[in-house]
Structure formats: C-alpha cells, structure tokens
Amino acid sequence: MPPLPSLLLNQRLSLSLKPLLLFSQSSLAPRKFQIPRQSVSVKRRTFSSLASEHSSENGGRSSVRGRSGALSPSLVAEEVQRIDVNPPKGTRDFPPEDMRLRNWLFNHFREVSRLFGFEEVDYPVLESEALFIRKAGEEIRDQLYCFEDRGNRRVALRPELTPSLARLVIQKGKSLSLPLKWFAVGQCWRYERMTRGRRREHYQWNMDILGVPEVTAEAELIASIVTFFKRIGIKESDVGFKVSSRKVLQEVLRCYSVPENLFGKVCIIIDKIEKIPIAEIKRELNVTGLSEEAIEELLQVLSIKSLTKLEEILGGAGEAIADLKELFSLAEKFGYSEWIQFDASVVRGLAYYTGIVFEGFDRDGKLRAICGGGRYDRLLSTFGGDDVPACGFGFGDAVIVELLKEKGLLPELSLEVDNIVCALDRDLQGVAAIVATKLREKGQSVDLVLESKPLKWVFKRAARTNAQRLIMVGNTEWQKGMVVVKVLSSGKQYEIKLDELE
C-alpha cells in the first residue's frame, strides 16, 4: 500500500488524539462539560420514532435492517421511576435482626405447645371468602382483604385461623380421633385502623382443643398462655386475664325476651364498650331492637367485676355461674389464680363464641388486648358439619413485642456462628471450602470467607458474627495437612490436623 500523504496523515492523527486532549496532563480528573438541555429531558421515544430519525439522517434510507416481518429490538428510552422502597402500609419487612426476634418468639410458641401435647397444623393464607363472612361478625366482614380470582371465585386473605381449622376438621371427618389438640402459627390479614400493636398483617399463635365439653379445656388453654408469659419474663403483676361467659349475656337477654337471632349482633356491639362512648353503645343497642329498660339492665350487669355479685343478680342455678366457678377452682389447681379476674363486659367480638371467653390484658392499660379466646361449640355446623365441643385462643405477635419493649424484656439476639474459615492465600480457597464442609457435616455453623481478604477484615467479620473460632488455612501449615485455629474468646492459637478438627 503506498504511503499516505503527510497532510492526510496529520489530519487523522489529530482526529484520533482529540479525545485524549480532554484530560489535562497535570491531572487525571476529567473536565466538566455542560450537557445540552434537550439531551437530559425525559422523553418517551419509541422504536418507530428512532427509526424515522435514523432514516432522515441517512438521506431517507432506514438504518434498521432485518428480515421482512422480523421483530427488531425495541430501542425505547423510558423514564426511570423510583419505587417506594417501604413495604405496603400496615405490613413489615423482617431484616435479620427482626427475624431473629420473630424466630425467638415463635420458638417459644412452639415449645409451649409441645409441652402441652399439641400438634402443629397450618392452612392456606388464601381461603374462600365465604369461610369468614358466615359467622365471624360484621367487623371481620368489613376488614377482609378479598377479591375475585381468575376463576371467578371469591377469595380472601385469612383474617384469623379458627374458621380454617373448622374447615379442615369437617374435611377430615370421621378419620379424626377426638379430642384434638392442635396449634398453628400463621400470618393473618385485616384492613383495619392501625394503632400501637395493631397492623394490617400479623402473625398469630392459635391453640385449639376439640372434643372436650368440660371447662377443663379452657383451664388448660389459659395455663398454656401463663406458661408462655413466665418463659419470657412476664409476671402476674404485668398482665392478667379478664374472664366471663357469653351465657351471662344470654341469660340477661332472655329475661327481656330478646330474640336469639339478635344475640350475635349484641355481642359485637358490647365488645366495643372500651373503644367507643357509652352513648354510642346505647344507640347501637337500641337500633338492634333492645328496649331502654333492657339496655340499662344489660349495661348494669356488664359492669360487674365480682362473680359473687353476679350470682346475687342471676342466681346460682344457671350454666354461666357454674362454668365460671369451676374455671376459677381449676385456676387454683393449675397455679394461676392470681392471673385471672372476672369481668362481665368481656364478650369477644367474634359471633361464633358460645360459652366462656377470656382476654389477656396489660395491667398498666397502655396496650390493646394481648390475646383472647373462648368456647365455640357450634362453629362447625355453620359450615355444614356436625358440631363438636371446641375452644381455643389467638395470640398475636405485635402486642406482645410492644409489651416486652415496655417492660425492658426484649432479648439481645445477635448473629452467632461457631467458626469463621478463611484462606490466607487465594490458591487455598478450595482447601478452605473443604475445611468448612467437614465442620458443617459435624453440625457446626461456618461463615466461609469467599474472597481474598486481609486478616484485619477477617477479624472484624469474626467480631460482627460473634464467631467462637477463627480457622486459617495457610501454605506452610497445609503442606503438613494442618490448619491454624484461634479461639477468639481467649486468644489461644494452635495448629491441628484437619481430621482431628472438632
């Protein structure tokens, strides 16, 4: 090839060196240049508009080539929108530190259930909507996360666990041997007004006994909650249980010839006594159909805090008095009589309760109900099954955490590993993996350093993970089939053969 003319060569050199002249020889920092305004404005540009621009730049010839009818890559410049990085309102993330607390709490739920001989079950988070709107009560109906799925079925995220339990019991039918003692720890959803300890999603611990009509079942359930409280440091001076019976309300309403079909509605209204003004309670009861006289008598009975006083008004022959007396007697035998007290205003808001009901509360009165439950002997028949005597409770994860904070009882839960293993040379990374694998096979936790890092970084990592030992794989030691072990609590350091490492 003949040599290029010197003028042309100089021009080409000048053009090729131009980008290099953007940087000063005295500094490697790039200069700042003004970017034309139109190049940073956000504009939605489609493939067709870009193709048109290229076509005009090339004298009308389109620069987009390909087979006829083939789809070409879309050259779309879209506006990048920042998403809201917070979880939906009323829900939570569980980063490691929060997950450790959740696991600690759930482990106590499960261990107490095990101690009382209960078996764990679970149900779908997504259930048929009909399961929750038949007998749960108006409040639940209004709080459902519900929708129609692609198969035109009405479904809902479960707001509680008991209806799912009833569905499963009916499904299993005669194959189940009574009594059943089941527990579950599951996520529940309610679209409700958020307050301290109340979210739109929460986890709930349920324990249920089916097939036992005696009050011993309720006594056992309350005993399990008391056991849980004691395990986490909560005392009877911190919390208590308000106990009553739906049968008390029934006896009062029967005196005033209030129809049976209004009972559920009245219970739902009474459950609001501590949430809305008493005048509003009276108005709602009046709208339901109760006379002024019945309302006044009912509210007078509901204000009673003494079982003896209740017996004076209702007499001692009724089932309500008999059940409550037996429960208080059993509380002494179980050893938690100081934890419970009678309160006639406790009825619980769910319409399916039929007998004894109870609520756990903090004695300082700063929080909403910690837990609650009772007897629901007629729930299964509302779903088409045969009724089975049953009782149970629900215990949410949110309020108890608030109580632990209030009492200064939140545990210190940090990440802990048995060993941190690192290679002192990049070529020994595979050997470090062998060491980690052998320790893991022996049931020990290992944080394996996956990159080549200086020892200073490794020691910081060991401190953050609260590692008990640092195991180093170095060339000199490995040639002898050994590794270096450093006990981080004492500083003791020694060499050991891999086969002898425990």
Side-chain angles (χ1 to χ4, degrees):
M1 179 178 178
L4 290 170
S6 59
L7 178 60
L8 180 58
L9 181 60
N10 290 338
Q11 287 176 341
R12 291 194 174 183
L13 284 170
S14 173
L15 287 170
S16 64
L17 291 172
K18 252 185 178 180
L20 298 177
L21 297 177
L22 297 179
F23 297 90
S24 167
Q25 290 182 348
S26 62
S27 172
L28 291 177
R31 293 182 185 177
K32 294 181 179 178
F33 296 94
Q34 289 285 359
I35 301 174
R37 191 173 187 83
Q38 64 270 24
S39 68
V40 294
S41 63
V42 176
K43 181 180 179 183
R44 187 181 180 90
R45 304 175 73 198
T46 64
F47 175 70
S48 58
S49 66
L50 287 170
S52 175
E53 292 171 18
H54 285 299
S55 177
S56 62
E57 290 171 1
N58 289 286
R61 300 187 306 276
S62 174
S63 62
V64 181
R65 297 176 182 174
R67 291 176 298 169
S68 176
L71 292 174
S72 301
S74 177
L75 305 174
V76 181
E78 297 283 359
E79 177 182 0
V80 178
Q81 294 183 345
R82 293 178 66 89
I83 66 165
D84 184 355
V85 296
N86 295 307
K89 189 174 182 180
T91 66
R92 298 165 288 175
D93 291 316
F94 288 91
E97 60 275 14
D98 293 337
M99 198 65 193
R100 285 193 288 272
L101 178 61
R102 192 178 101 178
N103 287 338
W104 172 84
L105 187 66
F106 288 10
N107 287 341
H108 280 294
F109 289 160
R110 290 189 166 95
E111 180 58 17
V112 169
S113 301
R114 186 194 67 81
L115 289 173
F116 279 73
F118 282 63
E119 295 182 282
E120 186 166 11
V121 293
D122 199 6
Y123 326 97
V125 174
L126 188 69
E127 287 274 19
S128 167
E129 181 186 48
L131 197 61
F132 303 107
I133 62 176
R134 289 193 180 186
K135 287 290 283 184
E138 293 300 324
E139 188 179 43
I140 286 287
R141 186 189 292 257
D142 295 339
Q143 294 172 353
L144 281 180
Y145 278 91
C146 52
F147 57 95
E148 190 173 278
D149 69 9
R150 294 186 181 185
N152 300 318
R153 294 172 289 261
R154 293 295 304 175
V155 292
L157 296 178
R158 64 187 181 196
E160 55 158 334
L161 301 176
T162 308
S164 296
L165 165 76
R167 177 186 57 72
L168 182 57
V169 170
I170 294 171
Q171 179 201 122
K172 291 294 183 181
K174 301 291 185 181
S175 66
L176 294 174
S177 298
L178 299 178
L180 298 179
K181 296 174 77 175
W182 284 359
F183 83 95
V185 180
Q187 191 179 37
C188 300
W189 295 80
R190 293 189 188 188
Y191 193 88
E192 58 183 340
R193 186 176 64 87
M194 292 181 297
T195 58
R196 186 183 179 191
R198 182 191 290 259
R199 298 184 175 89
R200 289 176 178 169
E201 63 80 23
H202 70 282
Y203 285 86
Q204 188 164 297
W205 171 39
N206 273 34
M207 290 180 71
D208 295 89
I209 299 175
L210 285 84
V212 179
E214 285 81 12
V215 179
T216 49
E218 287 94 327
E220 173 93 325
L221 291 173
I222 296 174
S224 68
I225 304 174
V226 171
T227 300
F228 169 79
F229 282 141
K230 289 178 177 179
R231 286 175 64 93
I232 63 172
I234 299 293
K235 303 174 183 177
E236 67 270 21
S237 58
D238 301 318
V239 302
F241 293 89
K242 296 177 182 178
V243 178
S244 187
S245 174
R246 281 281 181 94
K247 295 174 183 178
V248 171
L249 200 58
Q250 281 180 313
E251 291 186 22
V252 174
L253 296 179
R254 195 177 294 120
C255 292
Y256 289 90
S257 302
V258 176
E260 186 71 24
N261 65 321
L262 294 181
F263 180 67
K265 291 182 180 180
V266 172
C267 287
I268 292 167
I269 295 169
I270 295 302
D271 189 53
K272 303 175 186 176
I273 276 184
E274 294 183 357
K275 304 170 188 175
I276 62 176
I278 197 67
E280 182 64 18
I281 295 289
K282 290 180 178 180
R283 188 194 68 79
E284 290 190 22
L285 289 172
N286 188 256
V287 170
T288 302
L290 269 68
S291 66
E292 295 289 339
E293 185 183 0
I295 292 171
E296 291 301 325
E297 179 70 19
L298 179 60
L299 293 177
Q300 182 183 349
V301 170
L302 294 175
S303 67
I304 296 173
K305 310 296 182 186
S306 163
L307 191 54
T308 304
K309 180 70 174 177
L310 181 69
E311 189 173 5
E312 290 175 2
I313 295 176
L314 298 181
E319 286 185 18
I321 299 296
D323 288 348
L324 288 166
K325 278 186 170 182
E326 184 177 358
L327 179 62
F328 277 86
S329 175
L330 287 167
E332 291 184 8
K333 307 295 191 301
F334 276 103
Y336 60 78
S337 58
E338 294 181 357
W339 293 72
I340 68 171
Q341 63 191 58
F342 175 74
D343 187 331
S345 67
V346 175
V347 296
R348 303 293 295 158
L350 298 173
Y352 53 66
Y353 287 117
T354 57
I356 285 178
V357 286
F358 56 87
E359 283 185 358
F361 68 100
D362 79 293
R363 295 193 186 275
D364 291 339
K366 296 180 180 179
L367 301 168
R368 60 188 292 260
I370 303 167
C371 60
R375 179 161 289 276
Y376 51 92
D377 287 347
R378 293 192 290 273
L379 179 60
L380 270 63
S381 63
T382 65
F383 302 123
D386 296 328
D387 279 329
V388 174
C391 60
F393 70 79
F395 192 122
D397 69 323
V399 179
I400 187 61
V401 169
E402 292 298 323
L403 180 63
L404 289 170
K405 288 178 185 175
E406 193 75 32
K407 302 297 179 183
L409 293 172
L410 277 180
E412 291 287 338
L413 301 169
S414 54
L415 173 63
E416 292 182 0
V417 297
D418 297 323
N419 308 281
I420 183 165
V421 175
C422 72
L424 300 181
D425 189 292
R426 185 186 295 273
D427 295 337
L428 294 172
Q429 190 65 52
V431 178
I434 293 172
V435 175
T437 300
K438 285 190 173 294
L439 288 169
R440 288 166 179 161
E441 287 173 349
K442 293 177 181 179
Q444 295 191 35
S445 58
V446 178
D447 181 13
L448 175 62
V449 179
L450 301 172
E451 303 172 89
S452 181
K453 292 287 188 181
L455 270 177
K456 183 179 179 181
W457 183 94
V458 175
F459 275 104
K460 285 183 178 179
R461 174 78 178 182
R464 192 181 75 80
T465 59
N466 294 294
Q468 295 178 22
R469 298 188 303 183
L470 169 60
I471 300 173
M472 296 167 282
V473 183
N475 265 315
T476 304
E477 294 79 16
W478 186 244
Q479 286 175 8
K480 300 180 291 184
M482 307 181 84
V483 294
V484 178
V485 177
K486 188 176 185 67
V487 180
L488 296 171
S489 59
S490 65
K492 180 182 177 182
Q493 183 170 309
Y494 56 92
E495 294 180 9
I496 189 172
K497 289 184 178 181
L498 179 58
D499 292 340
E500 298 174 1
L501 185 61
E502 295 292 339

